[in-house]
Amino acid sequence: MPWDRALNTPPKPEEVNPHRAIPPYSPGFFTICGIGGVVACSFTRSMLTPLDTMKVHMQSEPKKFPNLKTTAAVMSREGLSFWRGWTANAVGFGCQGFFRFGLYEVLKHKHVEAVGPELATQHRFKFYMLSAGIAEATADIVLCPFETVKLRLQARPEYVNENLRSGMAKLIREEGLGALWRNYAGLATRQVPYTVSKFASFEVLLNFTYDNLLRAPRAAYSPYEQLGVSFICGYGAGVICSIISHPQDTIVTTMTAAKKGSPEATMAGALRSLGFMGIWRGLSARLPMIGAIGAFQWLVYETVKMSVWRLANDAISAARPETSVLTVVDNDANDRDSSARPQ
């Protein structure tokens, strides 16, 4: 796969299908990437809510929930729901996914336009990480209110009977609208390194697999084989970024679970309270969760993006008989290498 195509440089004139209803790198293309991000992030995060809930209990009450096995047993015995906060996960990470994936694609493409394909190829990883970091910092503005409410639902006893809507209303009523974004700095310091390291490690693992293990170019394999390789590399990338970002994840959980005005409600206070060993609480639950999220987000994102693109082209082609549906679909294969790496 040529690196200039991976960086989303515009296709050469002879590569462009004049009848394509939604050309690559157009506003419609970037919108479809955002839709793929919505489905990928919302689905994977909501489906793994039980692991997320156990992780939060292990971080906020380590004496009662010392490990994954005990946490599952205690929650079952006390009738605590494993699905607390699943709607906040589905809605919050769905909204985040639109900006994370869609904006990442836009920024990556704009960087190439600004510096040119040669320089962009030479510094490709820097542009990948810069685009991912900016996209994630922006997406966290949308995610923060839902993540704040979700952690209250999972960690605060007074929120045990609340849902996403009532919990958000309760938080605003008691602490003001600004409380929804109070922990944005902490969230961003978790999510930005998480996304950048996840993306970079995915690229490294993907290239290492093709260059050193399979010893053949990516184009030599079928789309399903390529997807399988990406699935495995996505899981590995998820594990790596989970370890890198876990200390900040524990700090954010501690800050959100703390009462307003308590020392643990600040980043510095939470870090002092946790200590070095405390920041690693809940890692046993987060490792498989983030690994699975990385793997399945790639699978769902790429599948949804290509499906929506083809459906849109088919619908437009049906309204415009002069447009060849077969030509549109066949040429989609040429653009697969230019798709974004999942975050």
Side-chain angles (χ1 to χ4, degrees), residues 17-32 308-314 316-317 320 323 328 332 335:
N17 174 10
H19 298 298
R20 181 182 291 281
I22 303 178
Y25 326 129
S26 65
F29 171 80
F30 292 130
T31 301
I32 289 173
V308 173
W309 193 5
R310 291 184 178 185
L311 286 172
N313 277 302
D314 287 351
I316 295 175
S317 298
R320 289 160 42 192
T323 301
V328 170
D332 281 343
D335 299 310

Side-chain angles (χ1 to χ4, degrees), residues 76-212:
S76 298
R77 184 170 62 249
E78 296 186 359
L80 299 176
S81 174
F82 287 85
W83 293 94
R84 292 286 296 170
W86 78 267
T87 51
N89 270 337
V91 178
F93 281 98
C95 295
Q96 180 217 36
F98 182 86
F99 290 96
R100 175 194 275 182
F101 284 84
L103 184 58
Y104 169 73
E105 284 274 19
V106 172
L107 291 172
K108 191 171 66 170
H109 181 56
K110 292 300 181 183
H111 284 150
V112 178
E113 286 187 331
V115 304
E118 184 176 349
L119 187 60
T121 301
Q122 184 180 354
H123 300 283
R124 56 188 178 272
F125 285 111
K126 294 178 182 177
F127 287 115
Y128 284 147
M129 290 187 287
L130 179 61
S131 299
I134 296 173
E136 182 60 46
T138 305
D140 289 343
I141 298 174
V142 182
L143 171 65
C144 194
F146 299 98
E147 183 72 357
T148 299
V149 174
K150 184 210 73 171
L151 289 172
R152 296 293 179 99
L153 296 177
Q154 292 175 331
R156 290 270 195 100
E158 63 268 31
Y159 281 80
V160 70
N161 294 319
E162 309 292 346
N163 54 35
L164 174 59
R165 182 191 299 177
S166 62
M168 186 173 289
K170 177 182 175 70
L171 179 60
I172 295 173
R173 184 172 59 253
E174 294 179 352
E175 301 183 32
L177 185 64
L180 295 175
W181 286 275
R182 184 178 298 142
N183 293 330
Y184 172 78
L187 179 66
T189 55
R190 179 192 78 184
Q191 288 296 120
V192 172
Y194 164 88
T195 296
V196 171
S197 61
K198 186 177 188 178
F199 180 81
S201 57
F202 178 83
E203 290 289 348
V204 171
L205 290 172
L206 195 69
N207 283 279
F208 178 82
T209 301
Y210 282 112
D211 294 343
N212 298 281

Side-chain angles (χ1 to χ4, degrees), residues 41-57:
C41 293
S42 179
F43 174 77
T44 54
R45 284 286 182 169
S46 58
M47 288 299 99
L48 291 170
T49 296
L51 276 175
D52 182 46
T53 304
M54 287 190 284
K55 178 211 64 161
V56 170
H57 281 304

Side-chain angles (χ1 to χ4, degrees), residues 208-291:
F208 178 82
T209 301
Y210 282 112
D211 294 343
N212 298 281
L213 299 180
L214 300 178
R215 299 182 181 278
R218 184 176 181 178
Y221 297 92
S222 70
Y224 295 105
E225 290 171 329
Q226 292 179 31
L227 196 58
V229 172
S230 298
F231 183 88
I232 295 172
C233 293
Y235 192 95
V239 170
I240 292 171
C241 75
S242 177
I243 296 172
I244 292 174
S245 63
H246 190 76
Q248 191 58 37
D249 180 74
T250 307
I251 291 172
V252 170
T253 301
T254 302
M255 291 170 59
T256 307
K259 297 286 186 180
K260 183 180 179 181
S262 66
E264 291 80 8
T266 65
M267 195 178 301
L271 183 58
R272 283 195 298 269
S273 174
L274 289 167
F276 178 77
M277 296 304 296
I279 60 177
W280 300 102
R281 293 172 186 166
L283 183 60
S284 60
R286 193 163 182 256
L287 277 176
M289 180 182 77
I290 300 300

